[in-house]
Amino acid sequence: MWIPDKKNQARAERIEWEHVIPAENFGRHLTCWQAGGRKACKKDATFNQIASDMHNFQAAIGEVNGDRSNYRYSLFTKAFNQYGKCKSAVDFKARIFQPHDEIRGMIARTYLYMSDKYKINLSNQEEKLMRA
């Protein structure tokens, strides 16, 4: 049984739509983002097209989505004890997130699709991780 963090009780009990590639990761290269982040991009057609691409959305437990923030994906642990039966992990200090095994392929396909479709540059590390 999953026992959520009490400060995130409400989010732990709901499902949210999550960007697989966080908005910051694709937005930060746009002029609007540099002028004021997500708020400044509200009326930018390019940002809105990328941000609303349904291929970049997946359902997620709210607390896990909140804890994941805009952290990079990584493989860093074999011990999953933060979210009960949800075998995901967050290293808050290193700002990395490890998704559970069953969704890694979907994440990789999403990253590669979004990179190709919108010319989003992946770091060498991201590219290697997604291809692996």
Side-chain angles (χ1 to χ4, degrees), residues 5-18:
D5 182 341
K6 298 230 186 292
K7 70 182 174 83
N8 290 319
Q9 182 74 38
R11 286 189 88 179
E13 295 176 358
R14 71 176 186 235
I15 300 297
E16 299 175 350
W17 286 104
E18 163 190 20

Side-chain angles (χ1 to χ4, degrees), residues 32-67:
C32 64
W33 194 275
Q34 294 165 8
R38 188 179 207 138
K39 186 176 180 181
C41 286
K42 279 177 124 174
K43 295 182 180 177
D44 185 89
T46 302
F47 177 83
N48 287 324
Q49 181 182 11
I50 299 169
S52 63
D53 188 318
M54 291 303 293
H55 291 94
N56 192 34
F57 285 97
Q58 289 295 320
I61 297 167
E63 181 183 11
V64 177
N65 185 28
D67 286 354

Side-chain angles (χ1 to χ4, degrees), residues 1 12 19 35 41 43 52 57 71 87-88 105-106 108 125 130 132:
M1 180 174 167
H19 281 108
C41 286
K43 295 182 180 177
S52 63
F57 285 97
Y71 296 171
K87 295 185 188 265
S88 297
M106 179 278 306
Q125 183 181 2
M130 298 308 154

Side-chain angles (χ1 to χ4, degrees), residues 2-122:
W2 180 12
I3 302 171
D5 182 341
K6 298 230 186 292
K7 70 182 174 83
N8 290 319
Q9 182 74 38
R11 286 189 88 179
E13 295 176 358
R14 71 176 186 235
I15 300 297
E16 299 175 350
W17 286 104
E18 163 190 20
H19 281 108
V20 176
I21 298 179
E24 180 181 353
N25 290 14
F26 58 77
R28 68 175 165 233
H29 303 291
L30 300 173
T31 304
C32 64
W33 194 275
Q34 294 165 8
R38 188 179 207 138
K39 186 176 180 181
C41 286
K42 279 177 124 174
K43 295 182 180 177
D44 185 89
T46 302
F47 177 83
N48 287 324
Q49 181 182 11
I50 299 169
S52 63
D53 188 318
M54 291 303 293
H55 291 94
N56 192 34
F57 285 97
Q58 289 295 320
I61 297 167
E63 181 183 11
V64 177
N65 185 28
D67 286 354
R68 182 202 153 208
S69 184
N70 62 350
Y71 296 171
R72 301 270 183 210
Y73 292 105
S74 183
L75 300 176
F76 63 90
T77 187
K78 291 190 188 271
F80 300 97
N81 55 13
Q82 290 171 292
Y83 304 106
K85 291 184 180 183
C86 179
K87 295 185 188 265
S88 297
V90 178
D91 182 330
F92 294 101
K93 186 175 180 183
R95 299 180 51 84
I96 53 178
F97 178 81
Q98 182 172 325
H100 56 91
D101 291 345
E102 295 82 4
I103 65 168
R104 289 184 192 153
M106 179 278 306
I107 291 169
R109 286 185 295 278
T110 300
Y111 261 74
L112 296 172
Y113 160 80
M114 295 291 287
S115 175
D116 182 60
K117 171 104 176 156
Y118 300 108
K119 308 301 179 223
I120 298 169
N121 292 326
L122 303 180

